[in-house]
Amino acid sequence: MGHHSCCNQQKVKRGLWSPEEDEKLVRYITTYGYGCWSEVPQKAGLQRCGKSCRLRWINYLRPDIRRGRFTPEEEKMIINLHGAVGNRWAHIASHLPGRTDNEIKNYWNSWIKKKIRKPSSNNTRTNPNQDSHFTTPQIQFPYLNISTKSPAQDTLLPLKPTTFMFDIGPTTAEAIDLTNNTRIDHILHENALLNQENWHHHHQQEMLQFTPLMENLENLMLPIDVQNSGTGPISEADCLQQRNEMNEWIEAQNSFSGYFLWDQAQGNIGGEESSSLLASYPSSL
DNA sequence: AACTTTGTCAACCGCCTACGT
DNA sequence: TACGTAGGCGGTTGACAAAGT
């Protein structure tokens, strides 16, 4: 009773892992890989449940894990992403190579505790909302409410209006080189794949990574949204077109001041269609 | 030095979803 | 369709260490 459903067997060990157990798990995984975690304990000679093995591997033993303090860049990333997507730790972790959801969650929770304990002392931010639950500044741009679908359409159509979903991916923001089209290619390609297979998992976070000249944004966004709204998965050709339009637009700009987290789904939660710009990084608004 | 409080973080719990039967 | 299982996820716990008294 009280034991996890996967761990019903009598002699299942729990608690901290010993170095011997770690060694067994590492040896097994590096030799045979992991297809089915529930088989791993028996095959690796461990008195653990598969879930425990999985967790130990993912959070501690896998070779590409990154340990130690978060860098300032990582901290910024966490704060901004949390402002956009909330407690979706796995999602946030996917943007920080080598970091685990657990680690980020722990970091965030202890950071929150510190902030609560020391309210507003050494707080350099200007937005008073941030101390409540550390959202990034919420700035509404009503003229960018471009979704025109009804809630019914929302459930019927597999594809939300796309806007541009610029997911910064596994690299840090600094790695984005706007003079280099390769990065843009990658992002748009990722966008295409997501729209075909996985859109609903990612729709909450959309990034606009260009200068916030709103009239230009509006000009740019509207046609593309209309074009792709409810028409099914975006093709590679559409992505190429998006890229070309975007490149033209980028070239027309004189400066780049950051990227922006764009949460189009937010308004849909309450049944009201709206979009909001949630955060900017690294520039301030 | 002894004890208490606070902080950190690995690991667990229970819920959820996907998938197979 | 209903059910069972595996794995992914976020919330939470608790062991241990560090800091404070």
Side-chain angles (χ1 to χ4, degrees):
Chain A
M1 289 305 227
H3 285 185
H4 194 271
S5 56
C6 83
C7 311
N8 301 344
Q9 299 143 6
Q10 287 306 339
K11 46 181 174 129
V12 168
K13 191 165 178 281
R14 41 190 77 232
L16 295 178
W17 281 63
S18 68
E20 291 74 25
E21 287 178 306
D22 282 346
E23 197 194 327
K24 280 183 184 176
L25 184 57
V26 168
R27 193 159 41 201
Y28 178 82
I29 298 295
T30 52
T31 307
Y32 302 104
Y34 51 87
C36 177
W37 282 108
S38 58
E39 293 172 359
V40 166
Q42 195 198 348
K43 291 184 175 173
L46 288 161
Q47 315 289 94
R48 297 271 179 174
C49 68
K51 242 177 157 172
S52 181
C53 293
R54 175 185 163 273
L55 203 69
R56 185 63 179 169
W57 174 258
I58 288 173
N59 283 344
Y60 198 83
L61 296 174
R62 68 184 160 97
D64 57 334
I65 204 90
R66 184 185 157 114
R67 320 210 128 266
R69 290 181 62 86
F70 287 99
T71 65
E73 288 73 26
E74 286 175 317
E75 289 181 358
K76 271 188 222 163
M77 185 78 78
I78 291 169
I79 291 164
N80 282 324
L81 286 170
H82 188 273
V85 304
N87 294 3
R88 292 174 57 197
W89 308 117
H91 179 93
I92 295 171
S94 71
H95 293 273
L96 297 162
R99 300 294 190 177
T100 68
D101 53 352
N102 213 31
E103 196 178 12
I104 292 168
K105 180 170 57 182
N106 283 334
Y107 166 77
W108 184 265
N109 287 335
S110 62
W111 190 60
I112 281 244
K113 274 185 204 159
K114 268 186 218 153
K115 280 282 181 181
I116 288 171
R117 197 143 298 174
K118 284 197 270 178
S120 78
S121 72
N122 122 51
N123 177 12
T124 57
R125 295 167 192 280
T126 54
N127 189 322
N129 291 331
Q130 287 189 325
D131 267 352
S132 58
H133 59 294
F134 299 95
T135 56
T136 41
Q138 296 225 353
I139 302 159
Q140 302 291 333
F141 294 101
Y143 54 91
L144 279 177
N145 289 349
I146 50 185
S147 174
T148 56
K149 288 189 303 176
S150 69
Q153 280 177 304
D154 208 43
T155 56
L156 289 173
L157 296 172
L159 179 66
K160 283 177 171 289
T162 61
T163 66
F164 281 111
M165 186 181 66
F166 288 110
D167 194 319
I168 53 175
T171 57
T172 61
E174 284 74 12
I176 297 174
D177 178 5
L178 289 179
T179 65
N180 180 351
N181 284 347
T182 306
R183 183 62 188 151
I184 309 280
D185 280 339
H186 170 70
I187 292 168
L188 288 172
H189 181 69
E190 187 174 90
N191 193 6
L193 295 177
L194 287 174
N195 276 294
Q196 283 163 10
E197 301 171 3
N198 234 353
W199 171 248
H200 64 287
H201 283 150
H202 293 81
H203 72 276
Q204 282 186 315
Q205 182 189 340
E206 299 174 6
M207 292 193 173
L208 305 174
Q209 59 172 19
F210 304 99
T211 311
L213 300 177
M214 289 306 152
E215 63 279 11
N216 285 336
L217 274 182
E218 192 167 28
N219 290 339
L220 184 69
M221 302 284 292
L222 271 172
I224 290 166
D225 261 305
V226 169
Q227 174 187 323
N228 291 317
S229 177
T231 58
I234 292 180
S235 68
E236 289 285 336
D238 285 340
C239 276
L240 281 175
Q241 187 186 339
Q242 283 188 9
R243 186 200 62 193
N244 289 336
E245 290 186 47
M246 190 61 79
N247 285 343
E248 279 172 27
W249 187 75
I250 292 165
E251 282 166 17
Q253 310 309 311
N254 292 325
S255 63
F256 166 65
S257 59
Y259 65 78
F260 295 84
L261 299 178
W262 180 262
D263 184 359
Q264 188 180 8
Q266 188 197 37
N268 294 335
I269 292 168
E272 142 193 350
E273 303 279 346
S274 68
S275 302
S276 54
L277 190 60
L278 291 177
S280 68
Y281 176 84
S283 64
S284 57
L285 285 177

